[in-house]
Amino acid sequence: MIPSKLDEGSDTYGLLHYLYGPGKRDEHTDPHMVASWDPYVDDPGRSPDMTISDLALFLDAPVFAMRGKKPKLYVYHVSVRNDADDRILSDEEWAQVAREMMHAAGIAEHGDDEACRWVAVRHATDHIHLVATKVREDGRQSNLRQDILKMQAAARAFEVQFGLRRLKHGDKTASRWRKAGELEKAERRGLSEASRVTLQRTVREASAAATGEGDFFARLTASGLRVKQRVAPDGNVTGYSVAMPGDRNTEQAPIWFSGARLAPDLSLPRVRERWSAPVPVQRVAPEMMWRVAEGKVRAAAEQLGSSGLDQGAGDVAALGDLIVVAAAISPHLVRDKIRDAAYEFERASRAPGDRALEGQARTLYRESTQVLSQSVSAVGRNDAVAALGFLLALVQAIEAARSWHEAQEHRVQAQASGRAGRLLREAVEVTAGASAAREYRPRPRRTATRPGPAQRKAAAPGERPMAGVVQQAVPEHAREILADSAWPTLRTRLLKVERAGDDPADVLATVAAGRELSSADSIAEVLTWRLDGWRKQRGSTAEASGTRPSPTAAGGAGTSAAPARKAAPAPRRRPPGDEQHRGPGRAR
């Protein structure tokens, strides 16, 4: 939960008119009041007896009644927003938040009958707006010193009370939240993300891969960004700003973002720290880059944070840069997952306090980063299978970072490490599935010569009981898989494999044999990821050859070229174990 102080003003009616209106692009839905200084004040959004003009006059009354000089900017405006993944709060819960925020800010403390007047307006599911006038009923002005800090402390308490995403207050490692206006502008321009997000990712990739200041600015320019350096009178560069081409304000001037506005570790002094300790550039043959980087990452994971708090902070910062570069040059099959992991690990790479720039783990991570960035031209010759060992080493490194953050009681950073680790584990399993698909050779289709008790009529695609497929392919894990909450998803993947013409039992046994399953938290989920990699690899192979795998040639339940005559469907019993909500050992 984030309280954000917005611009103060002197037009109460104008602000209320916007909050109760449709918004700039009809994004406001059901604008209404959830709380106010007086519980008996009617809501302009729900009552015909109250207009927006009337409410503005009520709020402004103490301001115009005061003696002496009136404050120039007397309209107080704060938004309180939840994370997109948080549950939706009720109006009653938001009313509780509003009253506590006004108390913490000093606008209207509990039990103060002469406090300022205020209202809380809700026009979206994830946030409210608090509007107040800064003159009390007794004509005095409220003391609003450190109001946002106090409101942030109240927000931390509500995160625990309501079960919301818990943010850590005061460690100064969080990036600025994207404003609603930035997201709306991106949608109007047809962009998938706000300009700030694109700039942050591009600058982070350039800073992670650069070997010096000149290289850093050259990479920014080559990426297509507009770059502006801040030069002191003595000729030294003291800062920089970047802008997206075509991103302009109402005056048609470029919208510049300094590095510090993008993220705490992207200011020029923090960027320079990356190459303050020289790292030898190791030239590696393209076919060896993943293996060399894997060895360095495994060695670094064993030493992360072993020499103290400051060194650990430097180690995780270098690990964050390595994941960013790995995401930028990773094979297309898993690139999105690794980029998501890099995004999640960003907060984990910024530990509170000072950080040391020397240390064995940091040096190894930086060397690995240079190996990958120098071999970027070889990406086309390195597929996901070649990168599997490196991804496994990266999972080990992130787990080491999570353990170190937990030991230092960096709760938010430890959670970020956990989310990044899960995404990387998914990338590993997708890669394992792709590797199995590359080596897969379908078994020849068996032709029955005589009827027997074991002979079965070939089922049409989608009709074969997938529970039986699991019991046939992985009998030692079948009970656990069928009782897993991820079983319906795995069943859907198996049906898609069958419809593509492959034998689902043969395919499932193949991907299950690729890597051990006993240590998985959810075997069904791991197998689902591997089947995703399988299908991606098979699809890319078919696309490259210009053909599609024949159901008959692949060993699946094929169909003849001539369309079969359809008979009237006869009533039949659903095969046991094929239901999504049934299976051996499943809790009822």
Side-chain angles (χ1 to χ4, degrees), residues 115-176:
C116 300
R117 297 183 176 185
W118 60 274
V119 294
V121 179
R122 181 181 188 181
H123 56 208
T125 58
D126 62 347
H127 70 279
I128 59 173
H129 288 262
L130 301 172
V131 180
T133 47
K134 297 191 297 183
V135 178
R136 293 166 48 87
E137 299 274 9
D138 56 13
R140 296 185 293 115
Q141 297 188 43
S142 294
N143 180 11
L144 304 180
R145 187 176 182 180
Q146 295 186 337
D147 51 343
I148 287 296
L149 291 177
K150 296 174 182 177
M151 295 169 80
Q152 288 173 345
R156 302 294 82 78
F158 280 119
E159 290 164 1
V160 176
Q161 178 181 348
F162 294 150
L164 308 176
R165 179 182 176 185
R166 298 177 63 183
L167 305 179
K168 188 171 182 179
H169 169 60
D171 68 0
K172 298 181 180 180
T173 63
S175 298
R176 295 189 181 184

Side-chain angles (χ1 to χ4, degrees), residues 207-539:
S207 63
T211 57
E213 188 166 319
D215 186 23
F216 170 63
F217 285 115
R219 288 175 181 269
L220 288 181
T221 303
S223 67
L225 301 185
R226 303 187 66 173
V227 183
K228 179 173 62 177
Q229 298 182 15
R230 185 170 64 250
V231 182
D234 59 1
N236 292 323
V237 179
T238 60
Y240 72 98
S241 298
V242 290
M244 288 288 293
D247 188 18
R248 298 178 179 273
N249 57 21
T250 54
E251 288 77 25
Q252 296 303 306
I255 300 179
W256 297 97
F257 290 85
S258 65
R261 284 185 62 195
L262 296 176
D265 58 340
L266 293 182
S267 64
L268 186 58
R270 296 295 293 270
V271 169
R272 282 170 172 162
E273 289 180 359
R274 289 168 165 84
W275 52 77
S276 59
V279 175
V281 179
Q282 181 180 0
R283 296 292 178 179
V284 177
E287 63 273 10
M288 293 295 295
M289 75 168 188
W290 294 115
R291 186 174 300 177
V292 171
E294 173 190 350
K296 293 180 181 295
V297 172
R298 291 191 185 277
E302 296 176 356
Q303 303 181 33
L304 191 149
S306 59
S307 299
L309 176 61
D310 291 350
Q311 179 177 318
D315 293 345
V316 296
L319 175 57
D321 284 345
L322 172 60
I323 302 174
V324 167
V325 171
I329 71 169
S330 58
H332 288 284
L333 187 67
V334 291
R335 182 169 298 177
D336 289 342
K337 292 297 178 187
I338 302 178
R339 275 183 169 168
D340 291 343
Y343 174 80
E344 291 292 350
F345 193 79
E346 178 192 326
R347 183 71 183 273
S349 68
R350 296 193 292 267
D354 297 329
R355 58 181 180 178
L357 304 181
E358 298 82 17
Q360 188 68 16
R362 177 179 173 84
T363 300
L364 289 169
Y365 286 141
R366 291 294 296 165
E367 290 177 357
S368 303
T369 301
Q370 291 304 317
V371 166
L372 296 184
S373 62
Q374 293 297 329
S375 304
V376 66
S377 60
V379 174
R381 296 188 293 273
N382 288 272
D383 55 24
V385 178
L388 179 58
F390 172 78
L391 294 179
L392 287 168
L394 213 54
V395 170
Q396 178 184 350
I398 288 181
E399 180 60 27
R402 185 186 66 81
S403 299
W404 180 80
H405 279 305
E406 288 180 344
Q408 308 304 323
E409 298 184 353
H410 300 158
R411 178 177 49 80
V412 174
Q413 285 80 0
Q415 291 174 351
S417 300
R419 293 192 297 271
R422 175 181 169 79
L423 288 166
L424 271 180
R425 285 192 293 273
E426 183 176 348
V428 166
E429 301 302 343
V430 168
T431 304
S435 177
R438 289 187 60 179
E439 304 298 330
Y440 176 70
R441 296 296 180 268
R443 298 177 183 177
R445 184 181 181 187
R446 296 180 180 178
T447 303
T449 57
R450 63 180 184 274
Q455 183 177 355
R456 295 182 179 180
K457 182 179 179 181
E463 294 184 0
R464 187 174 180 180
M466 291 301 134
V469 167
V470 171
Q471 291 168 343
Q472 176 185 348
V474 282
E476 67 277 17
H477 299 297
R479 180 175 295 272
E480 182 179 352
I481 291 172
L482 295 174
D484 197 316
S485 60
W487 159 238
T489 306
L490 175 60
R491 180 180 180 275
T492 301
R493 297 296 194 279
L494 290 171
L495 287 171
K496 290 181 178 179
V497 169
E498 185 183 41
R499 290 166 188 155
D502 288 323
D503 181 359
D506 194 13
V507 171
L508 186 61
T510 302
V511 299
R515 280 170 39 81
E516 61 87 21
L517 292 168
S518 301
S519 62
D521 294 333
S522 171
I523 296 178
E525 191 172 47
V526 167
L527 291 175
T528 300
W529 293 338
R530 293 185 189 178
L531 289 178
D532 286 341
W534 170 283
R535 294 176 58 241
K536 289 180 180 179
Q537 179 64 36
R538 298 279 282 179

Side-chain angles (χ1 to χ4, degrees), residues 1 32-39 41 43 80 82 87-104 108 110 118-131 151 154 158 161-162 164:
M1 180 178 290
H32 62 280
M33 185 191 303
V34 296
S36 70
W37 83 97
D38 187 338
V41 173
D43 177 13
V80 185
N82 283 343
R87 69 177 180 86
I88 298 176
L89 301 185
S90 65
D91 282 352
E92 291 73 18
E93 289 171 323
W94 275 121
Q96 184 180 350
V97 171
R99 287 189 287 267
E100 193 61 37
M101 290 294 177
M102 291 290 88
H103 166 77
H110 298 323
W118 60 274
V119 294
V121 179
R122 181 181 188 181
H123 56 208
T125 58
D126 62 347
H127 70 279
I128 59 173
H129 288 262
L130 301 172
V131 180
M151 295 169 80
F158 280 119
Q161 178 181 348
F162 294 150
L164 308 176

